[in-house]
Amino acid sequence: MVSYVGVLLYGVGGIVVAGMALLVAFQEKLVYVPVLPGLTKSYPVTPARLRLLYEDVWLRSSDGVRLHAWFIKVLPESRGPTVLFFQENAGNIAHRLEMVRIMIQRLQCNVFMLSYRGYGASDGYPSQHGITKDAQAALDHLSQRTDIDTSRIVVFGRSLGGAVGALLTKNNPDKVAALILENTFTSILDMAGVILPFLKWFIGGTSSKGPKLLNFLVRSPWSTIDVVGQIKQPILFLSGLQDEMVPPFHMQMLYGKAAAHNRECVFVDFPNGMHMDTWLAGGDHYWRTTQQFLEKHVPEIKEHDSSHDDKDVE
């Protein structure tokens, strides 16, 4: 007769094996969801539908992957701040256009919306290594443009986009003026236990007390908690307290890690904000908070008229 202890050990072993199999086979599909159920990979709308002034931009990442982006300008000759926008893990940039339309109106900024590899019209397949290259290609493109003020580039990222943006900001202190993080996780390692609760005993980030036996299987750890403390630029943290996907304490942990090393960190929470609609639930307070952050850290540089009439010298 098999003992109860033996059955228990077999059961635990089965869970571990099942967890490993899930991670190896399906982790990219859990982390990256370029196509929402029932929809296609293509863009359902373009900025033209919302009467936004834009251009299609085609880029090459450093490993040769062809990328697509939309560059939306508030005005043809605008020298206002430019927001490099990084989306969440699901859907494509077209699904963020309504939010971006309000962002442009309220903040009087330009917005550069990048499609990660494998998303929208971009080629390739998503991975942490690849998306990191994509983000750098987008920033390099913006830094070389002559029709914007390149000293006023601000990175915005929500959820996965926050992880992408934090790493890019850390790696480019001379190109990124400030960072805005919204409803971002501490790491995919910590999120594994949120998505599949039994995995929290085997996978975890730096704050986890578990054995972390399966961490080595995670190909896209996106450990924002290990990055944010190295960022020297100002950071605005926007946290929806009703976030149903990323536990709000993740944002509090990110802020705590950053603020310990960076005095230019601001944390603002929104009691009714969920994962995707904090900008909507936060209303005027959300946009005023963001506007004040930009006015402080990426102010408009007034060009003083140096052509004053010179006094005639006789």
Side-chain angles (χ1 to χ4, degrees):
M1 176 182 283
V2 180
S3 68
Y4 288 114
V5 174
V7 171
L8 179 61
L9 290 175
Y10 278 119
V12 171
I15 290 174
V16 172
V17 171
M20 292 179 68
L22 283 171
L23 280 175
V24 172
F26 300 113
Q27 63 180 273
E28 274 80 14
K29 292 185 178 181
L30 291 172
V31 177
Y32 308 111
V33 189
V35 182
L36 292 170
L39 300 179
T40 64
K41 184 173 180 285
S42 61
Y43 305 125
V45 296
T46 70
R49 177 74 66 85
L50 280 67
R51 299 183 178 180
L52 296 171
L53 179 69
Y54 82 105
E55 68 176 273
D56 285 297
V57 178
W58 294 96
L59 307 169
R60 289 279 180 186
S61 63
S62 61
D63 58 352
V65 176
R66 188 170 184 253
L67 307 171
H68 177 253
W70 286 327
F71 184 45
I72 308 173
K73 299 194 74 173
V74 59
L75 292 170
E77 303 300 324
S78 174
R79 305 295 290 184
T82 295
V83 174
L84 177 48
F85 185 98
F86 293 123
Q87 67 159 76
E88 308 85 340
N89 72 316
N92 60 52
I93 55 177
H95 302 124
R96 280 79 194 175
L97 277 174
E98 181 58 29
M99 186 263 190
V100 166
R101 181 181 70 84
I102 303 299
M103 174 183 283
I104 291 170
Q105 290 178 350
R106 293 297 301 262
L107 305 181
Q108 291 296 291
C109 63
N110 309 309
V111 178
F112 191 92
M113 304 180 74
L114 173 70
S115 279
Y116 308 134
R117 62 183 61 200
Y119 283 70
S122 294
D123 295 340
Y125 300 92
S127 67
Q128 177 170 337
H129 184 68
I131 291 175
T132 299
K133 292 180 180 295
D134 301 345
Q136 188 64 54
L139 178 60
D140 291 345
H141 169 82
L142 284 177
S143 299
Q144 294 166 11
R145 293 187 71 113
T146 59
D147 59 342
I148 65 171
D149 185 345
T150 56
S151 70
R152 304 179 73 193
I153 296 175
V154 177
V155 169
F156 174 96
R158 181 188 296 127
S159 192
L160 172 66
V164 177
L167 184 57
L168 182 70
T169 301
K170 190 265 289 186
N171 290 339
N172 294 271
D174 57 334
K175 293 182 179 180
V176 177
L179 172 65
I180 301 173
L181 296 179
E182 181 180 320
N183 297 337
T184 298
F185 46 75
T186 53
S187 72
I188 290 295
L189 297 172
D190 289 327
M191 283 299 296
V194 175
I195 299 170
L196 299 171
F198 72 89
L199 288 179
K200 68 182 178 180
W201 300 106
F202 310 103
I203 295 176
T206 55
S207 61
S208 174
K209 297 180 180 179
K212 309 175 188 178
L213 296 176
L214 304 183
N215 278 11
F216 72 97
L217 294 175
V218 179
R219 293 185 286 269
S220 292
W222 290 113
S223 189
T224 312
I225 192 71
D226 294 328
V227 171
V228 74
Q230 302 176 55
I231 295 174
K232 296 178 172 57
Q233 300 96 311
I235 310 175
L236 173 62
F237 296 82
L238 303 171
S239 177
L241 297 185
Q242 301 303 315
D243 193 327
E244 73 285 10
M245 298 185 69
V246 177
F249 74 82
H250 280 229
M251 283 289 286
Q252 295 166 3
M253 291 181 65
L254 290 176
Y255 171 74
K257 187 67 175 288
H261 306 277
N262 185 344
R263 294 184 179 181
E264 298 293 348
C265 292
V266 179
F267 185 94
V268 182
D269 57 35
F270 300 89
N272 298 318
M274 299 180 71
H275 189 64
M276 296 289 291
D277 76 348
T278 296
W279 64 275
L280 191 60
D284 187 61
H285 179 42
Y286 178 97
W287 294 114
R288 280 190 293 106
T289 296
T290 308
Q291 183 177 27
Q292 290 167 3
F293 177 79
L294 295 182
E295 288 174 348
K296 179 178 180 181
H297 297 294
V298 287
E300 180 181 0
I301 300 175
K302 301 290 185 180
E303 295 185 3
H304 297 287
D305 185 6
S306 58
S307 60
H308 295 299
D309 291 335
D310 294 331
K311 293 182 180 179
D312 290 334
V313 179
E314 298 183 359

